[in-house]
Amino acid sequence: MRGIFFTRTFGFSLLFLGTSVSLSQSQKETYQLPKPAGPNAVGTSTVSLVDSERLDSLSPLPHHPRVFVAQFFYPIAQPKQNQYPIAPYVSELVGNVSDISLSLPNGTTASFLTNSYLNAPLDPKYDFPAKVIIFSPGMTGIISQYTTFHEELASWGFIVIALDHPYDGSVVEAKELPGGAVFAPDFFTNVTEWEVYAAAAASQKQRVDDVLYILKSLGDSSSKLVKSLPGTSQFKRRSEKAQKSWWAKNSKVGVYGHSLGGSTAAAAMIASTKQKLVVNGTTVKYKDVSPPILGGFNLEGKFLGLSAPPEEGGPSGAVIKNPFVMWGAPTHSRDNPSVDLSWGLVYDRTMKGYKRELELLNSAHATFMDYPFLAEAANLKDPAKEWPLADVIDEMLGTIEGKRVIKIVTRFLRAFFDWTLKGDKEGKKLLDEKIEVGQWPEVKYRF
């Protein structure tokens, strides 16, 4: 029961559910991710970032600066045929690790095709100031497992900055990391609940600092992050005022995450407003950071360090003033404290602004990922595939059709960020169940 609880609430990686033996056969088919529904084509680019002012407490090497990876997904002008290559779904290393860990035929994970054009320039007609969404994955999760969400949001005009966090992401690659790539330990085998909690809390501390580093970088038009977005040089032709405002402190920023990433989103909103957080009994005071985070969204994540009162190691009066939404699978709600006490406590004590709770019926923890679509596209339930995990796939992924999952989750994410970042009040109406009534029977409003 403990393993189910922690994979549900702290982060869920299918990599740890498989065996460590690769199947001998090879995958020859290819599968296309669903095309985003927005009006824009999508570009993507990746940059590794080094925070030289911060030592990485998770690194096995002493005095090693924090290194993490950011991947942009952003709107581009419709490219000409073969003008830019299509970005791979995963690298060769990530694909091999996924296939081996899941006992899939070699090449299965890499057989999926994205809709993103690699290193294509940002749409020259982009409507500034930038609308930026920062994303943090679940514990042991990585950027690619949520590609369909990133592409959909980018197709509607958002600039998504998705983060890979070393030492808790299953595998993270960057030339600045030891050996060029680091792997996460197995957090869930032969450990106590407290050990899992402590590991998650330590990871969240670094994740929050990763998000704050992104915010500080967005506030500096000369930062490596801003300069790494393809096409930024074209905006130098604008007036001096426009050059300073198109990124910098006028950016409209939101944050969301899955599982531990959802808790990270909430903690980052607190930390970015010069408040205190308590991490494993140690009080950390953060400096004010610009641009501010205007809204946050938690997909199925237990809140860490945000719900306990100060005398129990919790934050001292820390609050979330800007809009925040939390969305869970059945039984994971503030009405069910036996599963997750933190949801009710944070909702009642910490969230002081607009707040909503949603439930996705017939879902599971990993429904909020690409996996429901990937499993269906590869037909992993087919007995002829002889996939070792076929009997528990519904328990892991829920029973909602994969494309429908993507449509539901991204519709509500987009509505939230349309409202908080673009000022579109129609987005708020969807969250308040005042529009599109009956179109989303899988969604239960809890307010």
Side-chain angles (χ1 to χ4, degrees):
M1 187 65 183
R2 177 176 56 82
I4 295 174
F5 175 77
F6 280 110
T7 55
R8 162 179 285 279
T9 56
F10 290 122
F12 183 95
S13 174
L14 294 181
L15 296 173
F16 289 115
L17 294 179
T19 67
S20 59
V21 180
S22 177
L23 302 186
S24 59
Q25 67 210 80
S26 294
Q27 171 67 35
K28 297 180 180 179
E29 295 181 81
T30 59
Y31 310 102
Q32 180 67 54
L33 295 183
K35 184 178 179 179
N40 300 290
V42 177
T44 189
S45 179
T46 301
V47 58
S48 56
L49 300 169
V50 180
D51 186 350
S52 57
E53 298 181 359
R54 174 168 47 122
L55 295 180
D56 194 338
S57 60
L58 304 178
S59 172
L61 300 180
H63 312 299
H64 196 274
R66 176 65 172 178
V67 177
F68 64 102
V69 175
Q71 184 171 356
F72 292 103
F73 294 83
Y74 50 91
I76 64 173
Q78 187 62 45
K80 299 176 182 178
Q81 187 174 4
N82 299 323
Q83 186 176 3
Y84 305 104
I86 295 294
Y89 183 64
V90 291
S91 68
E92 182 178 1
L93 174 61
V94 173
N96 288 340
V97 170
S98 298
D99 293 340
I100 291 173
S101 300
L102 280 167
S103 297
L104 292 170
N106 297 327
T108 297
T109 308
S111 68
F112 286 88
L113 307 176
T114 74
N115 300 283
S116 299
Y117 294 91
L118 187 62
N119 296 325
L122 180 69
D123 187 348
K125 296 181 179 179
Y126 186 82
D127 183 22
F128 292 109
K131 290 81 178 174
V132 178
I133 301 172
I134 302 171
F135 172 78
S136 181
M139 191 174 184
T140 73
I142 51 178
I143 292 170
S144 62
Q145 295 166 336
Y146 308 84
T147 297
T148 57
F149 298 172
H150 308 327
E151 291 186 334
E152 180 68 18
L153 291 169
S155 78
W156 289 98
F158 296 101
I159 297 175
V160 178
I161 304 178
L163 306 182
D164 266 343
H165 307 284
Y167 306 107
D168 78 65
S170 56
V171 54
V172 177
E173 298 173 276
K175 63 180 181 180
E176 297 87 352
L177 288 169
V182 296
F183 300 83
D186 184 348
F187 292 104
F188 307 115
T189 303
N190 297 323
V191 294
T192 65
E193 291 184 11
W194 172 248
E195 288 172 326
V196 177
Y197 182 95
S203 294
Q204 179 172 284
K205 170 63 172 64
Q206 290 293 345
R207 285 164 169 253
V208 169
D209 287 336
D210 291 346
V211 174
L212 297 183
Y213 186 86
I214 295 295
L215 292 175
K216 289 185 287 186
S217 297
L218 289 174
D220 178 5
S221 59
S222 64
S223 68
K224 181 180 180 181
L225 177 78
V226 172
K227 288 184 174 180
S228 296
L229 179 61
T232 55
S233 60
Q234 64 188 319
F235 299 104
K236 291 182 179 180
R237 295 190 295 271
R238 295 187 174 191
S239 67
E240 182 179 352
K241 181 179 180 180
Q243 289 181 43
K244 291 180 178 179
S245 67
W246 75 272
W247 267 121
K249 294 185 179 181
N250 285 341
S251 297
K252 307 296 183 181
V253 182
V255 61
Y256 87 103
H258 174 232
S259 200
L260 182 60
S263 179
T264 299
M269 290 184 71
I270 294 172
S272 68
T273 52
K274 207 173 181 178
Q275 298 184 68
K276 297 178 181 178
L277 286 174
V278 176
V279 182
N280 285 345
T282 301
T283 300
V284 180
K285 185 175 182 179
Y286 290 90
K287 297 179 180 180
D288 202 10
V289 179
S290 292
I293 299 175
L294 301 179
F297 210 118
N298 174 6
L299 300 174
E300 258 287 290
K302 176 184 176 69
F303 294 106
L304 295 183
L306 306 183
S307 58
E311 61 270 19
E312 296 178 13
S316 178
V319 297
I320 297 174
K321 297 179 181 179
N322 285 337
F324 200 93
V325 175
M326 53 194 203
W327 197 353
T331 74
H332 190 186
S333 72
R334 68 183 195 275
D335 295 333
N336 196 354
S338 63
V339 171
D340 183 0
L341 181 62
S342 74
W343 269 38
L345 293 176
V346 170
Y347 193 90
D348 294 335
R349 294 179 179 177
T350 309
M351 297 180 188
K352 300 302 183 181
Y354 177 93
K355 55 188 176 182
R356 287 289 180 264
E357 181 187 8
L358 305 173
E359 178 183 324
L360 185 59
L361 304 176
N362 302 314
S363 68
H365 192 70
T367 301
F368 297 87
M369 305 173 76
D370 286 351
Y371 282 123
F373 173 79
L374 304 186
E376 286 178 7
N379 198 20
L380 295 181
K381 284 187 178 182
D382 184 355
K385 297 276 187 176
E386 298 182 344
W387 189 47
L389 303 179
D391 291 342
V392 294
I393 194 169
D394 288 346
E395 178 184 346
M396 295 190 301
L397 306 182
T399 57
I400 307 173
E401 187 264 336
K403 287 185 178 179
R404 180 66 177 170
V405 168
I406 297 167
K407 187 173 183 179
I408 296 169
V409 174
T410 57
R411 177 66 189 103
F412 281 78
L413 286 173
R414 178 165 66 88
F416 179 76
F417 291 118
D418 276 346
W419 169 46
T420 55
L421 306 188
K422 296 181 179 180
D424 182 356
K425 295 182 180 179
E426 290 298 301
K428 181 177 181 295
K429 288 180 181 179
L430 178 62
L431 299 170
D432 293 339
E433 201 178 9
K434 293 181 178 179
I435 62 172
E436 302 179 22
V437 177
Q439 292 188 31
W440 313 103
E442 303 91 341
V443 180
K444 181 177 181 179
Y445 291 80
R446 287 184 166 274
F447 54 83

